[in-house]
Amino acid sequence: MAAILTLHNPARAAEYYGAGYWRKDTLYSLLQHHAAARPEKFALRDSHRRLTWGQLLEWVDLVAFDLHQAGLKPGQRVSVWLPNRAETVAVTLACSRNGYICNPSLHQSYTVADVVDLLTRIQSVALFAQQGFGADADRSNIFETAYQVATIKRVYRLKPVARAGSPNTGAGAMSIAAGLPAPVVDPDKIVLLAFTSGTTGEPKGVMHSDNTLLANARAMAADWRHHEDIVLLSMSPLTHAIGTIAMAQALVSGFELVLNDVPAGKTILDWIHETGATYIMGVPTHAIDILAELKRRGHDRLGKVSVFYMGGSAIPRETVRTLLDLGITPQNVYGMTENGAHQYTLPDDDTQAIVETCGRACAGYEVSIWSQEDPDVEVAQGEIGEIGGRGACLMLGYFDNQNATEQSYNRYGWFMTGDLGRLDETDRLQIVGRKKDLIIRGGRNIHPARIEDLARSHPSVSKAAAFPIADERLGEKVCLAVVLQDAASLDPQTLLRHLNERGLSKYDMPEYFVAVDAFPLTPSGKILKRELVEWARSGRIRPRSVRSPGSGAHGARGGA
């Protein structure tokens, strides 16, 4: 087996096993369990396929067989660059079965060059992709470039879901089983490598085991009393942490997972009704958009939905009230790719707790607040500081990145999130800000550095700063402020075209623009972005709305 260096600690593992946070289950063994216990019950659905647990198991074994035949070894990486479709789940479970590491977080906003770079960094040996998917699909082709990655052994070219057909389950199942190695039963192996980003915007590969993923799902299942009759619709894509959390919850409790793959000609509200969804997971933007459509159509119920999970940004108070009036319990969640949905409100929490806090840490995880100036000094309850955490659902380090792994922990072993918060008198967590230089638009992280670098490459631009403008629906939008070269003038549309031509993803394009004479600076000469935010809020500067090239696809539906 390939040797993957991780933070796995035998003493800590024994503690987690003793407390029941970690168990002997793997993602694949849970699939086996449900397929044996209720093979005809539905497990997974996209716009054109609805699979039972029995069918899903057969499909997963088929994928595992093909990867085995391609010569893959346990510990090697299998990457997935796909829209919301059932194959991502099948590949993840096949990796759990054979001991490979699934890398499902190649986002739609990535370009082909981005993907090739990431595949090279993690030495992927297989890639599942769909033609026409990605930020530059109109001018680049991953199938022409994937084999530039020296380690790639196999590339799977998937048709769009509408033309993919049903998995070929049932045919030759016995012969396939005979050709497969025994399932890898180690729940502490690395099974998932999910890309996230630090303050520089450089993606880091978060490593999770079956156990670190399932610990969080088990805790939430207990707290929210999950059962097998739930139908969970994940509004967030499977490339996103929320999508992974949704999959783990479905496996723990044995209920159906529905993907945000809305059939052509239908709306998300139609999909909610058609699938019989009872539980929705997403970000506040999803809830805002769904409630707006509900109001436009004059409905007084959101189908069978009884719980709406929301993470990624603050939930507007009016959204909470509207959901409660519809008989739906909102769940306010805080977490990261590194530690799952470890912090959340409970079914019996009142409106104030749901709006103002992210609840308490789940079983097997704990949170503490540390000084912004010194991460080794814990602050008093109620004081604002950097949020630190540790526990059974925490990652096992960043892949092949010792420096980033070391820098993410304080001297006492607490993972430092870069987010600012405080614990109130009831030990509920309140998020008050971010240390990270990020703009979060509809739950999507946008890093100013790349936008600024590309803007500064325009001959008329002397300095550039991207900062957030508050938006009621999306949380934040990008505003690009520039200081022009002497005597220069610049039309914002010209600058947007320049950013597009230089390869900036359409999902990261500024939606506001302002030219200023000078930026507010720190004594060391750094731009004070918080001052720019305040200038825009107070009216000292007046950014104007701009429309980027290809902005028709710039919405948050399904991709926030």
Side-chain angles (χ1 to χ4, degrees):
M1 179 178 288
I4 304 296
L5 302 179
T6 76
L7 294 175
H8 183 80
N9 180 287
R12 192 158 49 239
E15 176 188 338
Y16 295 156
Y17 275 110
Y21 305 139
W22 285 7
R23 302 176 191 174
K24 295 299 183 181
D25 300 316
T26 67
L27 302 180
Y28 179 77
S29 72
L30 289 174
L31 168 63
Q32 284 183 305
H33 168 77
H34 298 309
R38 44 188 180 281
E40 301 306 317
K41 290 286 188 180
F42 288 114
L44 180 63
R45 184 173 187 174
D46 62 21
S47 62
H48 286 75
R49 285 85 57 89
R50 192 179 188 190
L51 301 172
T52 65
W53 286 105
Q55 290 170 330
L56 181 57
L57 176 62
E58 290 184 25
W59 189 21
V60 168
D61 283 348
L62 183 65
V63 175
F65 176 78
D66 202 79
L67 290 169
H68 178 66
Q69 290 296 105
L72 272 67
K73 298 184 295 185
Q76 291 187 313
R77 275 70 67 198
V78 177
S79 292
V80 179
W81 194 26
L82 293 173
N84 287 331
R85 52 188 296 169
E87 280 83 356
T88 302
V89 175
V91 174
T92 304
L93 294 172
C95 288
S96 176
R97 188 207 182 283
N98 285 7
Y100 314 137
I101 301 174
C102 187
N103 164 229
S105 55
L106 300 177
H107 304 294
Q108 183 179 10
S109 56
Y110 286 172
T111 65
V112 166
D114 292 334
V115 170
V116 169
D117 177 63
L118 294 171
L119 298 181
T120 302
R121 280 178 49 195
I122 66 171
Q123 299 178 331
S124 290
V125 292
L127 172 67
F128 290 77
Q130 176 182 309
Q131 183 65 45
F133 184 68
D136 62 346
D138 58 336
R139 58 185 183 270
S140 299
N141 188 338
I142 186 61
F143 301 102
E144 295 175 354
T145 55
Y147 283 104
Q148 294 176 7
V149 181
T151 53
I152 286 286
K153 294 183 176 181
R154 184 159 295 185
V155 176
Y156 296 84
R157 183 173 186 153
L158 276 60
K159 298 176 182 177
V161 172
R163 296 192 282 115
S166 298
N168 188 25
T169 58
M174 292 300 293
S175 61
I176 289 171
L180 272 170
V184 175
V185 297
D186 177 14
D188 298 323
K189 67 183 181 299
I190 299 300
V191 70
L192 191 86
L193 194 163
F195 286 120
T196 186
S197 300
T199 55
T200 64
E202 180 72 13
K204 294 175 289 190
V206 174
M207 296 187 292
H208 276 289
S209 67
D210 297 79
N211 257 327
T212 58
L213 293 176
L214 293 172
N216 188 201
R218 293 184 188 111
M220 194 170 287
D223 288 333
W224 280 79
R225 300 183 283 276
H226 289 170
H227 52 82
E228 65 186 59
D229 293 326
I230 286 172
V231 178
L232 167 57
L233 169 59
S234 175
M235 292 295 297
S236 294
L238 290 167
T239 58
H240 192 282
I242 293 176
T244 301
I245 294 164
M247 179 187 66
Q249 288 188 47
L251 287 165
V252 163
S253 298
F255 53 65
E256 183 179 12
L257 172 62
V258 178
L259 308 181
N260 187 4
D261 178 34
V262 180
K266 297 187 177 181
T267 69
I268 188 59
L269 191 55
D270 297 328
W271 190 229
I272 290 170
H273 284 283
E274 181 178 327
T275 60
T278 61
Y279 175 26
I280 297 178
M281 292 177 63
V283 299
T285 304
H286 292 134
I288 292 169
D289 291 349
I290 289 169
L291 292 175
E293 183 181 351
L294 193 75
K295 183 177 181 180
R296 285 194 301 270
R297 291 169 64 166
H299 294 189
D300 58 5
R301 286 285 302 165
L302 186 55
K304 298 179 180 179
V305 177
S306 60
V307 176
F308 207 126
Y309 164 124
M310 288 168 282
S313 61
I315 308 174
R317 186 178 296 271
E318 186 58 33
T319 301
V320 170
R321 288 201 184 106
T322 303
L323 288 170
L324 290 171
D325 288 344
L326 291 169
I328 299 169
T329 304
Q331 184 183 25
N332 193 341
V333 182
Y334 170 72
M336 303 169 67
T337 306
E338 288 90 339
N339 49 24
H342 65 79
Q343 202 89 12
Y344 47 80
T345 54
L346 298 173
D348 299 327
D349 282 342
D350 58 26
T351 301
Q352 182 177 353
I354 296 169
V355 171
E356 296 182 358
T357 81
C358 300
R360 302 184 182 95
C362 69
Y365 201 79
E366 55 184 326
V367 161
S368 185
I369 309 298
W370 303 82
S371 168
Q372 297 178 56
E373 287 72 36
D374 185 345
D376 297 327
V377 175
E378 191 172 4
V379 302
Q381 186 165 27
E383 290 187 18
I384 295 173
E386 184 173 359
I387 301 166
R390 63 185 182 186
C393 59
L394 184 60
M395 68 166 183
L396 295 174
Y398 295 116
F399 178 82
D400 196 26
N401 197 334
Q402 178 70 17
N403 185 55
T405 301
E406 285 186 357
Q407 291 185 1
S408 295
Y409 293 80
N410 72 5
R411 67 183 297 185
Y412 303 109
W414 291 77
F415 172 72
M416 306 307 295
T417 65
D419 293 326
L420 301 177
R422 60 174 162 240
L423 292 171
D424 69 13
E425 64 279 3
T426 67
D427 281 331
R428 291 184 174 92
L429 179 65
Q430 296 177 332
I431 309 297
V432 299
R434 295 188 304 278
K435 289 180 70 176
K436 300 175 182 178
D437 186 15
L438 288 175
I439 298 168
I440 300 183
R441 182 190 187 277
R444 167 177 165 73
N445 290 349
I446 297 175
H447 297 276
R450 177 164 168 76
I451 301 172
E452 292 159 357
D453 287 344
L454 294 177
R456 286 192 295 266
S457 69
H458 191 282
S460 296
V461 176
S462 172
K463 298 176 182 177
F467 65 94
I469 294 285
D471 183 82
E472 182 175 354
R473 189 176 74 84
L474 293 168
E476 295 175 342
K477 289 184 177 180
V478 179
C479 178
L480 178 59
V482 299
V483 175
L484 298 175
Q485 299 286 1
D486 290 343
S489 62
L490 181 62
D491 175 71
Q493 293 302 322
T494 300
L495 183 55
L496 292 179
R497 284 194 295 273
H498 170 80
L499 296 175
N500 181 57
E501 291 166 1
R502 289 301 179 100
L504 183 66
S505 170
K506 61 188 175 185
Y507 297 90
D508 294 347
M509 282 289 175
E511 294 174 82
Y512 289 92
F513 173 85
V514 63
V516 297
D517 294 330
F519 287 137
L521 302 174
T522 66
S524 62
K526 295 180 180 179
I527 298 172
L528 274 170
K529 292 188 180 180
R530 64 177 179 270
E531 286 297 311
L532 288 173
V533 172
E534 176 59 24
W535 286 6
R537 189 197 65 79
S538 66
R540 179 172 173 177
I541 58 175
R542 298 185 181 277
R544 59 171 169 164
S545 178
V546 292
R547 186 173 177 82
S548 64
S551 60
H554 198 180
R557 176 185 170 191

